[in-house]
Amino acid sequence: MADIFSPSRLGGTSQAVALASACLSILLVLYLMFFADLYRRPDATESQVAQTLEGRPPLDIHIEMMSLDPIRQTVEARLNFPERRADAAQAGGARVRLSDGGFVRELHLPADRAAGATSVEFGLDGSISAYPFDVYRTDALIAAFAGEGAQEAPLAVQLTVWERLPAWEARVVSRPARPGEVGLPISIEARRPPAHVVFALIVYAVMAVIAVCGLAIGVLAACGVRKIEAAFASSLAGMLFAAPMLRNAMPGAPPLGVAADAYVFLWVQVALMIGLVLFICAWARRGSPP
C-alpha cells in the first residue's frame, strides 16, 4: 500500500489523469463543433433557376438528381415536364437542348400530349484521387425552342431543381452566360457531406494509430525493452488484416490507389508488417524454449 501512495507513483498518476483529461476535452470540443456545423447546414430543398424572355411564357422543367458516379465523372438527372405548357401548345411542340460542353442532346416535346420523364447524364470535372475532399463541377446549358427551321423561336426556361443526391451534397445555380450561349446557363457542383469527410478522416487516423502501436510492439520487443509475449504475434497479425477492412468500410469507399492511400494506408500496412517481423525475429532469438 505504501508504494501506491508514494510521491513518484502519485506524480505519474497525476500526469496520466491530466493527459487523459486534456484528450477528452479536445475530443468534446471537436464533437460539439462537428454537430454545430451539421445543425447550421440547411436541408436540401427545391430551388428555382429561371430565364426570362419578354412576352414569352417559360417552359417548366423539373430536374431531379438521381446518382453520381465519381469513377466515370458523371451525374445522372431525371427531367420531368409538367403538362401545363402554354408555350408547347404551338404547332410542332417544343424542343429542349441540353449541353455540358462535351455533348449536346435534344429532346422533342409534343404539343398534343404530355412528355414523359427523361434521364440524362452530365459530364463532371473532378478526380476521385482527392477522396474524401473530391469535388465535381460542370457548366451546363439548357435551351428551349418552339417551331422548326425559319419559324424557330427561343423559349424562356424555368428550372425547378431537387438538389438532394444520395451520399452527396449537390448544388445547382445560375451562372453568367458566355458569348454565343442561348438558353439558361447553370452550374452543377457536388461534394461529399461533412459527416462522410469526418468519418473518412477518423478511419485513416485510426489506421495510423494502429500502425504506431504495432510498430511500437515490434521495436520494444526487438530492443529487449519489454518481455516477449507470444500473444502479441496474433495481435499484430490481426492488426495487419484489420486495416484493409477499416479502409473498405469508409463511406463511398473509392478504388484502391487514391491519394489518401498513398499518404496513409500503404504506410500503415508497411509499418504493421515491419512490427510483426521484428517481433517474430525477437521471439525466435529470445523466446522461451519448449
Side-chain angles (χ1 to χ4, degrees):
M1 293 292 293
D3 291 340
I4 297 178
F5 297 101
S6 63
S8 59
R9 181 66 62 88
L10 288 175
T13 303
S14 301
Q15 292 177 1
V17 170
L19 180 60
S21 300
C23 292
L24 290 176
S25 300
I26 294 173
L27 182 61
L28 178 61
V29 170
L30 293 176
Y31 183 87
L32 294 176
M33 290 174 59
F34 174 67
F35 276 96
D37 181 68
L38 288 182
Y39 180 77
R40 286 197 304 266
R41 289 177 176 270
D43 291 335
T45 56
E46 284 189 356
S47 61
Q48 282 192 342
V49 183
Q51 172 197 14
T52 57
L53 290 176
E54 186 176 352
R56 295 184 181 275
L59 173 65
D60 290 329
I61 302 176
H62 292 186
I63 182 169
E64 180 182 1
M65 298 295 175
M66 301 299 296
S67 63
L68 186 147
D69 188 343
I71 308 297
R72 296 175 53 235
Q73 298 179 13
T74 58
V75 62
E76 181 184 0
R78 184 169 61 193
L79 274 65
N80 291 281
F81 305 92
E83 294 185 16
R84 184 174 56 82
R85 296 195 313 272
D87 46 70
Q90 306 176 28
R95 292 178 295 110
V96 176
R97 189 175 300 155
L98 305 106
S99 172
D100 66 355
F103 87 98
V104 177
R105 182 173 178 180
E106 195 165 279
L107 307 175
H108 292 269
L109 307 182
D112 55 347
R113 64 182 185 276
T118 304
S119 294
V120 297
E121 282 190 348
F122 294 97
L124 301 171
D125 295 325
S127 175
I128 198 172
S129 64
Y131 177 91
F133 301 107
D134 44 339
V135 179
Y136 301 89
R137 299 184 179 89
T138 189
D139 289 337
L141 182 67
I142 301 178
F145 303 92
E148 297 284 348
Q151 303 298 322
E152 181 180 86
L155 297 173
V157 174
Q158 179 173 284
L159 193 65
T160 302
V161 185
W162 178 248
E163 297 176 337
R164 186 178 294 278
L165 185 61
W168 295 89
E169 282 191 347
R171 189 165 152 268
V172 179
V173 296
S174 178
R175 62 174 176 83
R178 300 192 181 105
E181 285 186 335
V182 177
L184 176 64
I186 60 173
S187 179
I188 303 174
E189 178 181 294
R191 62 178 69 237
R192 299 186 188 272
H196 287 195
V197 175
V198 172
F199 189 87
L201 293 177
I202 290 176
V203 171
Y204 276 118
V206 169
M207 287 192 289
V209 170
I210 291 175
V212 172
C213 293
L215 195 59
I217 292 172
V219 170
L220 293 176
C223 295
V225 178
R226 288 291 182 265
K227 180 182 176 181
I228 296 177
E229 302 262 354
F232 278 128
S234 59
S235 299
L236 288 168
M239 293 178 185
L240 196 59
F241 287 97
M245 295 179 64
L246 280 173
R247 194 240 175 247
N248 292 331
M250 290 189 295
L256 192 65
V258 298
D261 289 336
Y263 295 143
V264 181
F265 178 67
L266 171 64
W267 301 106
V268 165
Q269 291 296 92
V270 171
L272 289 173
M273 182 181 63
I274 292 174
L276 179 60
V277 169
L278 289 175
F279 186 87
I280 295 299
C281 291
W283 171 80
R285 290 198 318 267
R286 306 195 316 272
S288 301

